[in-house]
């Protein structure tokens, strides 16, 4: 009988911007139930904090925030003062975490309290699992421990490092966790579920990219909001280093690493592959679909119809169908023309090949009463109509995560405003490079119709969301440079440095073989691939031609091929290295085999590059990495599609393990009794941070 | 789920009040600073001693800050060549960083206010203010080299007491702590760090002053040898640090590198480049360098005219390859044995030796001790310091010492775990700091106020 129950466990994973929390472990682990901004506001009295911005208002406003306030201060004290929930208003907010560090402990503790109050657990039975940021100091942990035990009467507390939690989520014993947060990138090397190296890139993270965009687009008067939205927009993409920017004539020879391709099976071929199979493919299919229907019309199997003897009947039916179809097409009668026109254009370019793209900026106006600005004039002759994302996705009030920048705007069926037939033309146009498209008369007509249609849509939208205005900007090559200026290199260097901090040299390769990207920042399109390419480009050690005839070659490494050259290791691994899923090996199997018996798993032993076959009298030592791989996310959590928040999945796995399965045997949590005896410093004995 | 073997809280103390509070152990060295709580099995904080100075004159501390090639940093080190502090202002700030970044908060986050001019009343006032607990909670155990000057020792207690307001302080010799870390009170401690190699005999927890031997033939010297090796290699190996390389291409062994080089508007400083080069050399040391095991005498043992038996036999052995950041790579055969040989044998082919070899030091140190304890010393040889992690180092040392002292039992204690070897003296400090009996030894703040800084000379022998 375990000491605690699943549904009593409280999980809190604080981040610099957003905190994830949940009460209870569901049957199948789910993304966090509660997601709130990690911020507090100064309270009415000194040294008190409120979860929402307090505004003094006249009495007539109904107090609706009384239940969310904390600490007993509040609206009821004085009639004239009322607390208004202003979720959008972050003016004067105190962010207790900055770059993961706790900059204001009192505010952070008040925030913890707020989370508690929101989830209102029965504290007497509720063990607490807090996910610690790598930057937290020992003292921070003690303070939190003390606070949690004294304030909440919780029976047990565990504090686990976020990188460890991610490793738990992935079920890998060794990993290099790259957590791209708000203003920092934390890199943690985990070996045998222990933290063996830490590094951090300050002033980076998602915010670093936003700032960079803002700086690049200063000339266009970009605000931070605009840069932020642009970053989340799919037109903002981080290209793999060495990819020539569109419009610039092959600035330099593309830097690729044949070794990378050789050992990982993909990487340097990555750029090419990625570009050609850019997600726009979907649209092509859609357009083809339209065409297909049209073709059906023309190609009738006349012979069979005639022989069937029902010619008249059939023709009538056909006619009816045609009418229906043309009716349906009435709203967009030139869709076909448009499609044809588009088809006539030479090549549809993916985003990364187009020098310019249009960015629709949606501004949220705080007050509904604010003057409703009409959208400005169309920008250019061929301004593409918008491919509108469902409005909810752009809601500024929703947390960063929900915007899902990787999610492409190409899901017309989901869009209520665009009807089926419309798709063909609506989607074609953004793909048309505005600079090089010849303007034919067909185009002109099409544009007019489109403009009209666009105007309708816009009106509809503005009626639906009167508090938003929308502006279009044409963004040039800046949109590819969010991670320029040494940004990726700095992260890559930190990864390299962190892995080198692993004391056991033979474990370094293991850490390289399971990189995990997480955090919201890496949702920026192309980020992971670009970082991986940078790592490969800089740090991957190629198999040396000098080892070709080495006698100490591990006998089971790989038989030299007939040509006499040794085939690179990873080519034997069966599953070519494909981004972003490096291997299709069942992660459970993979984890189990790699942790238990290195020699039995052919993939693994090959990737070790002979680590386990070195001379006996020395600890194995050779340069790493000989391969760089991305860990495969587990497939057995159906609720988890997106592993950017794997940390919370890991929190659930770890909580289950610590509090329920393990039952305290491995001392993975601090019980109240131990706390009473030894005080807050006892948390260090848990050793999970 | 590491749990601790030691626990200070169960020990009664009557000298200073905070029995619940573990001491902070600070072990500064030439290349890195180790800091953590007493009783733990590894230092929680590990920071490089190198720090960066921006063009504006601000200081950047810590590994995460000093590796930015765009920041145009000048890299400096507050430690002198012999592992003692030279620049106290910086050293204080650096140590503060090491402590605050991972362990605890100082009351004053701003290092400028932590200057030496703060008088005591400030600290007292802060004690009264509520909020985050400052370092004033924690007693501080600092390590020092066996050859630390009196002036430096007094400065240490000054910093601890006045700048940081520690309630209690102790200064311990790092060789003694290394012996404690290995569980010995009497030992011959061979410590090979970055800047200095030393041999110190410890008896009953006290260093034997006459036995203190030191030499610059340590990690940095080996790095220098590696640079020379690169220079002299055929073809010459270019030491291009990672930050200079934009992309590399795999080339055949020994072929010139084909890499694109990054261009910087403001080229990084020479000291920054040296720091980054050192990272490559460190990895080279870890993965290629080998110490000759001394099976048939030293590496350059001559058998006949001009022939080196051992060295020549190694030529037929398979080598190790190492790939430089620019992609060039080559096989290092017998050469990889040469760089560390000079630590043991004076007649190195690479250059004149800059100081006494380890063997010389062991002899000299041993001969300076009393006859009675010599067998104990040889039976308890403690090896510590990161440079001793070079492959084959301990084997060689063992072979040399058995040859040197035939008939006596020579037993070398070298921690198997990398961390324990690197942090040997810190670990000893952790053990010492958590002992109940040690609580009576601390120099308390009251004592310091009464006697002044000179008390450290009287108490910490």
């Amino acid at each position: 009988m375990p000491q605690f129950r699943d549904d009593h466990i409280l999980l809190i994973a604080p981040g610099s911007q957003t905190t994830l929390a949940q009460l209870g472990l569901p049957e199948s682990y789910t993304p966090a139930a509660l997601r709130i901004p990690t911020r507090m506001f100064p309270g009415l009295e000194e040294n008190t904090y409120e979860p929402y911005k307090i505004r003094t208002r006249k009495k007539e406003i109904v107090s609706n925030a009384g239940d969310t306030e904390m600490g007993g201060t509040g609206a009821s004290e004085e009639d004239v003062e009322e607390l208004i929930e202003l979720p959008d208003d972050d003016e004067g907010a105190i962010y207790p975490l900055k770059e993961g560090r706790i900059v204001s402990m009192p505010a952070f503790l008040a925030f913890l309290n707020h989370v508690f109050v929101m989830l209102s657990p029965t504290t007497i039975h509720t063990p607490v699992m807090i996910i610690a940021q790598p930057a937290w100091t020992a003292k921070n942990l003690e303070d939190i421990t003390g606070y949690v035990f004294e304030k909440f009467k919780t029976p047990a507390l565990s504090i686990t490092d976020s990188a460890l939690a991610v490793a738990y989520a992935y079920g890998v014993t060794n990993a290099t966790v790259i957590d791209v947060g708000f203003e920092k990138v934390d890199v943690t090397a985990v070996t045998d579920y222990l933290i063996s190296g830490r590094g951090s890139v300050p002033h980076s993270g998602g915010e670093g990219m936003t700032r960079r965009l803002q700086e690049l687009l200063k000339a266009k008067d970009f605000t931070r909001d605009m840069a932020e939205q642009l970053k989340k927009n799919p037109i903002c993409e981080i290209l793999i280093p060495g990819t020539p920017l569109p419009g610039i004539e092959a600035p330099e020879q593309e830097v690729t690493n044949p070794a990378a391709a050789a050992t990982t099976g993909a990487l340097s071929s990555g750029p090419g592959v990625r570009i050609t199979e850019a997600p726009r493919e979907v649209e092509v299919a859609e357009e083809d679909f339209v065409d297909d229907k049209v073709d059906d019309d023309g190609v009738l199997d006349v012979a069979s119809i005639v022989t069937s003897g029902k010619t008249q009947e059939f023709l009538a039916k056909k006619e009816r169908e045609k009418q229906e179809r043309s009716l349906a097409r009435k709203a967009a009668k030139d869709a076909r023309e448009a499609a044809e026109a588009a088809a006539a254009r030479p090549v549809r370019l993916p985003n990364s090949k187009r020098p310019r793209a249009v960015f629709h900026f949606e501004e949220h106006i705080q007050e509904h009463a604010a003057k409703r600005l009409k959208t400005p004039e169309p920008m250019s002759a061929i301004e593409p109509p918008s491919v509108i994302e469902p409005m909810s996705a752009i809601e500024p009030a929703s947390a960063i995560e929900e915007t899902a920048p990787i999610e492409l705007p190409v899901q017309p069926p989901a869009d209520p405003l665009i009807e089926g037939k419309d798709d063909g033309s609506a989607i074609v146009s953004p793909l048309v490079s505005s600079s090089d498209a010849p303007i034919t008369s067909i185009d002109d007509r099409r544009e007019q119709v489109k403009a009209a249609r666009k105007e309708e849509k816009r009106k509809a939208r503005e009626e639906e969301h009167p508090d938003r205005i929308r502006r279009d900007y044409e963004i040039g090559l800046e949109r590819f440079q969010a991670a320029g200026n040494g940004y990726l290199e700095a992260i890559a260097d930190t990864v390299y440095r962190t892995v080198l901090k692993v004391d056991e040299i033979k474990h370094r390769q293991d850490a390289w073989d399971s990189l995990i990207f997480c955090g919201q920042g890496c949702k920026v399109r192309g980020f992971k691939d670009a970082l991986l390419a940078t790592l490969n480009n800089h740090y991957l050690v190629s198999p040396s031609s000098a080892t070709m005839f080495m006698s100490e070659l591990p006998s089971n490494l790989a038989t030299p091929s007939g040509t006499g050259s040794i085939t690179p290791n990873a080519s034997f691994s069966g599953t070519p290295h494909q981004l972003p899923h490096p291997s299709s090996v069942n992660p459970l199997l993979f984890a189990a085999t790699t942790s238990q018996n290195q020699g039995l798993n052919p993939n693994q032993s090959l990737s070790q590059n002979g680590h386990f076959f070195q001379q006996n009298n020395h600890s194995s030592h050779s340069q790493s990495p000989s391969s760089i791989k991305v860990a495969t996310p587990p497939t057995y959590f159906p609720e988890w599609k997106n592993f950017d928040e794997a940390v919370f999945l890991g929190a659930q796995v770890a909580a289950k393990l610590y509090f329920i399965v393990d039952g305290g045997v491995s001392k993975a949590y601090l019980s109240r009794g131990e706390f009473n005896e030894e005080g807050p410093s006892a948390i260090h004995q848990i050793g999970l941070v | 789920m590491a749990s601790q073997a030691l626990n200070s809280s169960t020990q009664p103390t009557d000298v200073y009040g905070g029995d619940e509070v573990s001491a902070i152990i600070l072990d500064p060295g030439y290349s890195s600073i180790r800091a953590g709580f007493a009783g733990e099995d590894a230092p929680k904080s590990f920071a490089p001693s190198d720090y960066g100075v921006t063009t504006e004159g601000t200081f950047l501390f810590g590994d995460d800050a000093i590796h930015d090639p765009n920041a145009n940093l000048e890299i400096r080190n507050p430690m002198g060549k012999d592992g003692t502090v030279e620049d106290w202002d910086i050293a204080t700030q650096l140590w503060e960083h090491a402590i605050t970044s991972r362990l605890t908060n100082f009351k004053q986050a701003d290092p400028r206010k932590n200057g030496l001019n703060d008088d005591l009343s400030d600290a007292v006032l802060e004690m009264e203010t509520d909020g985050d607990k400052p370092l004033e909670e924690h007693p501080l155990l600092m390590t020092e080299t066996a050859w630390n000057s009196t002036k430096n020792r007094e400065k240490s207690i000054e910093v601890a007491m006045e700048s940081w307001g520690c309630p209690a302080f102790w200064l311990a010799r790092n060789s003694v702590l290394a012996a404690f870390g290995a569980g010995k009170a009497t030992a011959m401690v061979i410590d090979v760090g970055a800047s200095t190699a030393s041999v110190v005999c410890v008896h009953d927890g006290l260093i034997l002053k006459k036995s203190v031997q030191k030499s610059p033939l340590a990690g940095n010297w080996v790095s220098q040898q590696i640079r020379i090796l690169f220079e002299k290699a055929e073809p010459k190996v270019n030491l291009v640090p990672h930050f200079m390389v934009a992309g590399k291409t795999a080339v055949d062994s020994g072929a010139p590198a084909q890499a694109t080089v990054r261009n910087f508007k403001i080229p990084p400083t020479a000291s920054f480049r040296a720091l980054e080069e050192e990272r490559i050399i460190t990895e080279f040391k870890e993965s290629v360098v080998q110490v000759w095991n001394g099976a048939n005498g030293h590496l350059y043992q001559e058998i006949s005219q001009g022939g080196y038996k051992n060295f020549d036999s190694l030529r037929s052995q398979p080598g190790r390859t190492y790939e430089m950041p620019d992609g060039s790579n080559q096989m290092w055969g017998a050469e990889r044995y040469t760089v560390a040989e000079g630590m043991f044998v004076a007649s190195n082919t690479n250059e004149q030796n800059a100081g006494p070899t380890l063997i010389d030091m062991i002899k000299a140190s041993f001969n300076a001790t009393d006859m009675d304890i010599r067998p104990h010393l040889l039976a308890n040889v403690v090896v510590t310091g990161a440079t001793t992690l070079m492959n084959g180092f301990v084997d060689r040392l063992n072979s040399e010492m058995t040859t040197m002292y035939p008939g006596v039992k020579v037993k070398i204690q070298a921690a198997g775990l990398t961390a324990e070897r690197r942090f040997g003296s810190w670990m000893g400090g952790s053990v010492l700091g958590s002992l109940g009996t040690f609580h009576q030894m601390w120099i308390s703040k009251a004592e310091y106020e009464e006697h002044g800084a000179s008390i450290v000379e009287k108490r910490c022998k």
Side-chain angles (χ1 to χ4, degrees):
Chain A
M1 175 74 191
Q3 207 180 341
F4 306 106
R5 280 176 47 185
D6 278 14
D7 51 353
H8 283 157
I9 296 174
L10 179 65
L11 308 157
I12 305 176
S16 301
Q17 280 288 292
T18 311
T19 292
L20 310 175
Q22 183 168 307
L23 178 64
L25 296 178
E27 195 77 9
S28 170
Y29 298 148
T30 51
L34 180 68
R35 154 197 303 280
I36 50 172
T38 312
R39 66 181 180 213
M40 296 300 277
F41 296 89
L44 297 172
E45 291 161 37
E46 210 180 331
N47 292 330
T48 62
Y49 297 91
E50 301 289 338
Y52 299 108
K53 181 161 173 73
I54 301 169
R55 177 108 42 104
T56 312
R57 275 277 178 99
K58 288 282 186 283
K59 200 179 172 184
E60 67 260 19
I61 291 172
V62 181
S63 168
N64 59 350
D67 52 337
T68 51
E69 76 190 78
M70 48 155 289
T73 63
S76 51
E77 287 177 5
E78 289 178 357
D79 288 333
V80 286
E81 276 193 346
E82 312 213 83
L83 305 184
I84 311 144
E85 195 172 319
L86 293 169
D88 289 341
D89 195 357
D90 54 0
E91 194 193 338
I94 297 165
Y95 290 87
L97 298 186
K98 182 168 169 55
E99 294 184 350
R101 280 173 287 117
I102 300 180
V103 288
S104 168
M105 184 52 91
F108 183 70
L109 295 179
F111 176 76
L112 276 186
N113 186 53
H114 169 56
V115 174
F116 251 79
V117 170
M118 283 181 88
L119 292 169
S120 58
T122 56
T123 49
I124 197 108
H125 297 300
T126 301
V128 180
M129 161 73 85
I130 294 178
I131 299 298
Q133 291 287 318
W136 290 4
T137 65
K139 185 75 168 65
N140 292 156
L141 300 176
E142 289 178 21
D143 289 348
I144 293 168
T145 307
Y147 184 81
V148 168
F149 274 112
E150 281 157 23
K151 182 92 183 172
F152 301 130
K153 306 181 177 61
T154 183
L157 169 74
S158 184
I159 303 185
T160 303
D161 185 273
S162 64
L164 268 188
V166 172
Y168 273 117
Y170 275 68
V172 289
T173 46
N174 303 301
T176 306
V177 180
I178 301 161
D179 183 350
V180 187
F182 179 59
E183 286 180 308
K184 49 93 194 153
V185 177
D186 279 323
V187 183
T188 311
V190 176
T191 54
D192 286 339
Y193 285 131
L194 288 173
I195 288 164
S196 44
R198 273 197 180 113
S200 173
V201 190
H203 316 301
S204 56
E207 182 68 9
M209 287 185 261
T210 307
R211 287 206 194 104
R212 173 105 184 113
L213 281 175
Q214 192 183 343
E215 194 187 312
L216 286 168
L217 293 164
K218 219 187 273 169
K220 288 194 162 92
D221 289 330
F222 257 52
T223 61
R224 195 198 154 277
D225 270 358
M226 293 161 81
E228 180 74 18
Q229 274 195 31
L230 174 60
K231 183 185 75 181
K232 293 171 185 170
N233 194 299
I235 66 161
C236 171
E237 187 173 353
I238 293 162
L239 300 181
I240 288 168
T243 314
L245 292 172
I248 297 175
E249 300 269 326
E252 55 193 287
Q253 200 188 352
E254 188 170 327
V255 183
T256 55
N257 188 352
T263 48
T264 62
L267 233 256
S268 70
S269 59
V273 173
R274 295 294 295 173
I275 286 164
T276 50
E277 64 170 20
R280 302 280 178 184
E281 292 282 22
V282 184
E283 300 144 21
V284 178
E286 220 113 32
E287 183 205 348
D288 287 348
F289 177 67
V290 174
D291 285 347
D292 283 347
K293 271 183 163 177
V294 171
D295 286 348
D296 276 351
D297 269 2
V299 188
L300 296 174
D301 191 350
V302 180
S304 64
I305 296 167
V306 172
T307 49
S308 70
K310 296 179 177 176
T311 320
Q312 287 299 326
E313 196 182 328
F314 180 83
L315 283 180
K317 183 179 150 217
K318 205 69 200 165
E319 202 56 40
R320 268 202 317 277
E321 275 179 13
K322 255 184 185 164
Q323 276 171 0
E324 278 168 20
R325 204 172 296 167
S326 63
L327 272 174
R329 227 180 293 168
K330 209 171 182 180
K333 58 185 170 188
D334 58 344
R336 188 175 161 185
E337 283 170 18
E340 279 167 354
R345 290 175 198 285
V347 190
R348 240 194 231 171
L349 291 166
N351 178 45
S352 58
K353 290 272 171 77
R354 287 179 300 145
R356 325 201 124 259
V358 173
F359 160 61
H360 311 287
F361 170 62
E362 297 231 355
E363 195 170 7
H364 184 85
I365 301 172
Q366 295 284 343
E367 303 292 326
H368 282 230
K371 196 177 114 192
R372 191 180 303 175
L373 297 168
K374 281 295 171 196
T375 325
E377 76 323 323
M379 289 192 43
S380 61
I382 323 179
E383 185 175 74
S386 47
V387 178
I388 304 166
E389 293 187 15
M391 281 305 172
S392 58
I394 319 175
E395 193 97 23
S398 69
I400 299 171
E401 299 74 22
E402 277 155 13
T403 317
I406 293 169
E407 185 184 309
L408 292 167
V410 191
Q411 59 286 89
D415 190 334
L417 294 176
I418 304 176
E419 44 186 308
K421 282 285 169 71
D422 226 34
D423 296 349
S425 60
I427 290 161
V428 168
S429 40
L431 301 167
V432 176
S433 169
S434 56
S435 54
D436 60 358
I439 303 175
T440 63
S441 60
I442 294 178
D443 279 338
D444 279 344
R445 244 180 60 208
R446 191 163 66 94
E447 287 312 316
Q448 287 168 10
V449 176
K450 261 166 39 182
R453 199 186 308 136
K454 201 171 88 186
E455 200 52 43
E456 281 171 29
K457 274 189 225 154
R458 180 174 291 152
K459 273 183 190 140
R461 191 177 60 240
E462 279 171 0
E463 273 157 30
E464 201 176 320
H465 295 275
D467 54 342
R468 278 159 212 284
I469 54 167
R470 193 170 154 117
R471 289 197 213 111
D472 293 347
Y473 291 91
E474 203 178 27
I475 311 291
L477 298 176
E478 294 91 350
R479 69 188 201 278
F480 299 122
Q481 292 163 9
N485 200 18
Y487 181 95
L488 283 175
E489 281 81 4
I491 299 175
D493 181 68
T494 306
V495 173
Y496 177 67
R497 191 154 39 81
T498 305
V499 176
L500 284 187
K501 280 181 188 166
V502 176
D503 274 337
E504 294 299 319
I505 295 170
K506 65 180 178 191
H507 279 143
R508 290 181 187 166
Q509 184 56 46
D510 299 348
W512 278 115
D513 277 336
S514 103
L515 297 184
I516 299 174
F517 300 99
C518 63
Q520 302 305 328
C522 59
K523 278 181 171 171
V524 177
R525 190 172 171 198
F527 178 85
K528 293 178 194 176
D529 296 345
L531 180 56
L532 193 58
T534 309
L535 283 170
N536 269 298
N537 219 345
H538 281 257
Y539 301 112
L540 187 70
V541 174
S542 319
S544 171
S545 61
T547 54
M548 202 188 292
F549 305 109
M550 271 175 71
S551 55
E552 68 170 3
L553 201 65
S555 58
N556 61 344
L557 178 58
T559 320
S561 66
T563 59
S565 66
I566 180 165
T567 324
N569 300 332
S571 62
F572 282 83
S573 65
T575 50
H577 185 64
Q578 280 172 345
L579 297 172
H581 302 294
S583 109
S584 55
V585 181
N586 179 340
L588 265 178
L589 177 69
F590 193 76
T593 46
T594 50
S595 65
Q596 292 302 317
N597 195 335
Q598 304 281 1
L600 284 183
N601 186 337
N603 295 329
Q604 189 63 12
S605 63
L606 287 171
S607 69
Q608 296 304 317
N609 198 19
H611 266 121
F612 294 88
F613 314 103
Q614 306 248 346
Q615 300 97 319
N616 311 326
N617 53 343
H618 307 297
S619 63
S620 61
H621 56 106
S622 85
Q623 210 179 348
S624 63
S626 52
S627 65
I628 299 175
K629 294 175 187 169
V630 180
T632 321
T635 49
Y636 39 86
F637 295 111
E639 311 279 339
W640 285 84
K641 301 281 183 279
N642 186 345
F643 282 83
D644 294 330
E645 278 178 7
V647 63
F648 200 75
L649 173 60
Q652 295 175 72
V653 174
K656 176 88 175 175
L657 201 61
Y658 297 166
F659 291 122
I660 313 281
V661 178
D662 177 65
V665 175
S666 54
K667 209 169 178 331
Y669 62 82
L670 184 67
S671 71
R672 175 160 286 277
E674 288 161 326
F675 173 78
N676 289 343
E677 234 169 67
E678 300 184 37
S681 64
I683 194 70
H684 299 313
Q685 297 172 20
I686 302 306
L688 294 170
V689 282
Chain B
M1 329 299 156
S3 65
Q4 290 147 331
L6 294 153
N7 190 348
S8 61
S9 65
T10 54
Q11 302 292 342
T13 84
D14 42 9
V15 172
Y16 82 97
D19 60 335
E20 297 266 322
V21 181
S22 36
I24 286 180
I25 315 296
L26 180 67
D27 179 23
Y30 183 85
S31 94
S32 66
I33 297 153
R34 284 76 63 179
F37 292 110
E40 294 186 324
D41 55 3
K44 274 204 160 66
S45 176
F46 177 76
S49 290
D50 294 309
Y51 66 98
V53 186
T54 62
T55 37
E56 292 89 45
T58 48
F59 302 124
L60 294 177
F61 303 117
D63 233 354
D64 294 330
I66 61 173
H67 293 296
D68 180 4
N70 292 317
N72 197 26
L73 296 177
E74 191 76 47
I75 303 295
R76 295 184 203 151
N77 193 324
M79 306 297 277
K81 287 285 171 221
D82 61 352
T84 53
V85 180
E86 266 181 3
D87 185 340
W88 273 99
D89 262 3
I90 299 295
T92 311
Q93 292 181 40
L94 195 53
W95 298 343
E96 260 177 45
H97 171 84
I99 293 172
T100 50
S101 63
R102 300 250 29 116
L103 304 179
T104 184
N105 323 58
F106 278 92
K107 185 63 193 170
Q108 304 144 309
D110 189 346
R112 277 168 300 179
K113 290 182 195 155
N114 257 321
L116 302 173
N117 297 328
D118 283 4
D119 60 22
L120 212 59
S121 58
D122 278 353
V124 174
L125 278 176
E126 276 147 14
M127 289 287 274
E128 290 159 7
T129 57
D130 200 26
D132 293 350
K133 292 167 191 166
L135 189 68
E136 282 130 25
E137 285 243 317
H138 299 273
L140 180 72
L141 171 62
M142 245 178 87
T143 70
E144 57 166 353
T145 57
W147 50 91
N148 205 6
S149 67
T150 307
K151 212 178 134 201
N152 265 342
R153 308 185 80 199
E154 290 180 356
K155 189 78 184 170
S156 303
I157 193 169
E158 232 178 270
V159 167
M161 290 293 181
E162 300 195 5
S163 303
W164 297 344
C166 299
F169 179 79
W170 188 258
L171 195 58
R173 309 284 187 180
N174 53 15
S175 32
V176 174
L177 293 183
F180 284 169
K184 314 280 177 195
T186 299
M188 174 186 270
V189 178
I190 299 173
D191 179 354
V192 190
S195 68
T196 320
S198 68
V199 178
V200 176
C201 293
V202 177
H203 185 242
D204 277 346
L206 292 172
I207 55 166
L208 304 172
K209 284 244 165 74
K210 282 182 200 155
S211 74
V212 175
Q213 294 287 325
K214 68 184 169 93
S215 156
L217 300 188
N220 293 349
W221 181 82
V222 175
S223 300
Q224 199 51 44
Q225 297 300 305
I226 292 171
R227 283 174 193 266
I228 293 168
L229 178 71
F230 286 170
E231 282 289 319
K232 287 162 81 176
E234 274 308 323
K236 182 167 165 278
V237 175
N238 274 323
L239 192 54
V240 182
H242 276 292
F243 77 89
M244 294 286 291
V245 180
K248 63 182 180 181
T249 310
V251 294
D252 279 352
S253 173
Q258 293 174 13
T260 40
V261 176
R262 259 171 95 182
N263 290 314
F264 291 93
K265 273 187 221 133
I266 312 157
T269 61
S271 59
F272 180 80
R273 188 183 167 120
L275 172 78
E276 299 299 306
E277 286 175 354
E278 199 60 35
R279 287 169 63 188
I280 301 160
I281 292 176
T282 303
E283 211 190 343
F284 187 83
K285 274 187 214 170
E286 286 174 342
S287 51
V288 176
V289 169
Q290 180 90 32
V291 181
W292 168 243
N293 64 16
N296 299 302
H298 59 79
L299 186 62
Y300 299 109
Q301 195 92 34
E302 281 189 56
I303 37 164
S304 55
Q305 292 76 19
Y308 300 124
K309 183 177 68 176
N310 293 326
F311 187 68
D312 289 345
S313 75
L314 286 171
R315 288 188 183 281
S316 59
Q317 297 286 312
R320 289 186 189 284
T321 54
Y322 189 81
E323 182 177 312
M324 287 297 173
D326 61 3
S328 64
N329 64 88
Q330 76 176 82
M331 173 80 78
W332 298 96
E335 307 86 16
R336 69 200 178 93
Y337 288 88
T338 60
V339 286
E341 187 65 14
M343 296 174 76
F344 296 92
V345 185
S347 63
N348 194 312
T349 50
N350 279 339
E351 70 162 21
Q352 287 285 346
N353 270 328
T357 63
L358 267 178
I359 308 302
D360 294 344
M361 288 196 290
I362 291 169
K363 277 182 187 151
S365 180
F366 188 70
N367 291 336
T369 57
D370 198 83
M371 284 298 266
D372 299 345
I373 62 164
R374 287 185 186 181
H376 295 292
L377 293 175
L378 287 182
N380 297 294
V381 179
V382 172
V383 177
T384 187
T387 302
T388 65
L389 286 165
M390 277 193 298
N391 285 289
F393 183 95
V394 176
D395 293 348
R396 175 61 178 275
L397 191 66
N398 194 31
S399 138
E400 292 281 352
M401 289 190 75
T402 3
T403 323
M404 231 186 321
Y405 302 107
V408 190
K409 186 184 157 215
V410 176
K411 189 145 188 274
I412 293 184
Q413 304 275 334
L417 285 177
T418 310
E420 283 181 30
R421 195 91 68 85
R422 289 170 75 196
F423 309 138
S425 38
W426 186 91
M427 303 267 200
S430 174
V431 171
L432 184 65
S434 59
L435 288 179
T437 45
F438 183 67
H439 286 211
Q440 288 144 35
M441 290 170 68
W442 291 107
I443 300 172
S444 71
K445 196 169 186 107
E447 284 175 282
Y448 169 76
E449 278 160 20
E450 195 182 333
H451 298 98
S454 61
I455 190 171
V456 76
E457 274 296 300
K458 290 184 202 119
R459 293 279 297 277
C460 307
K461 298 284 184 197

